[in-house]
Amino acid sequence: MADGDASARRDAALTGVVLGGVASAAFLVGAPVTPTALAAGAAATVVAELLLSLRSAWVRAVWGRRAVQATAVVVGLVGGVGLALLVGPWVLTALVAALLTYLLVLAASVLWRRGGRPND
C-alpha cells in the first residue's frame, strides 16, 4: 500500500469518527437541515483546503504528528458541540456538511494521485 493511500485511509477514519459524533449530536438535537448551513459547511471546507494547500509541505509535517491528529478529533467533537451550544444547532448541520465535503475532497485527491484509476 502506498504511503499516500495509508495517509488517506487514516484521514478518512479520523474524519469518520468526528462525523459519527457530530451527526449523532445533530440528530439528537434535531439540528435544522437548511441549504444555508449545508452551503456554509461545504464552502468552509473548500476555503480551508485551498488555504492549507498554500503551505502543503508544512501542513503535512504538522498533520503527521499523532498528537495533532488526536487533538483535531477532540476539537472537532467537543468544539463542534460546544459551538452549537453557543450559536445554535445549525452549526452541527454545517459541520456535517463540512466533514462530508472533506471526505469528497479526500477521495478526489486520491483518484487524482492515482491518475483516475480507483483500483490501483
Side-chain angles (χ1 to χ4, degrees), residues 13-87:
L14 293 172
T15 302
V17 169
V18 178
L19 180 58
V22 171
S24 296
F27 177 77
L28 289 173
V29 301
V33 179
T34 64
T36 302
L38 295 172
T45 292
V46 171
V47 169
E49 287 298 314
L50 288 173
L51 290 174
L52 292 171
S53 74
L54 298 174
R55 300 281 308 265
S56 60
W58 177 80
V59 169
R60 273 193 300 278
V62 171
W63 182 247
R65 301 177 192 153
R66 292 201 186 274
V68 171
Q69 296 166 18
T71 301
V73 169
V74 171
V75 168
L77 290 168
V78 175
V81 171
L83 191 58
L85 291 171
L86 291 173
V87 178

Side-chain angles (χ1 to χ4, degrees), residues 26 31-46 89-102:
V33 179
T34 64
T36 302
L38 295 172
T45 292
V46 171
W90 66 269
V91 169
L92 296 171
T93 303
L95 191 50
V96 166
L99 293 164
L100 290 172
T101 301
Y102 175 73

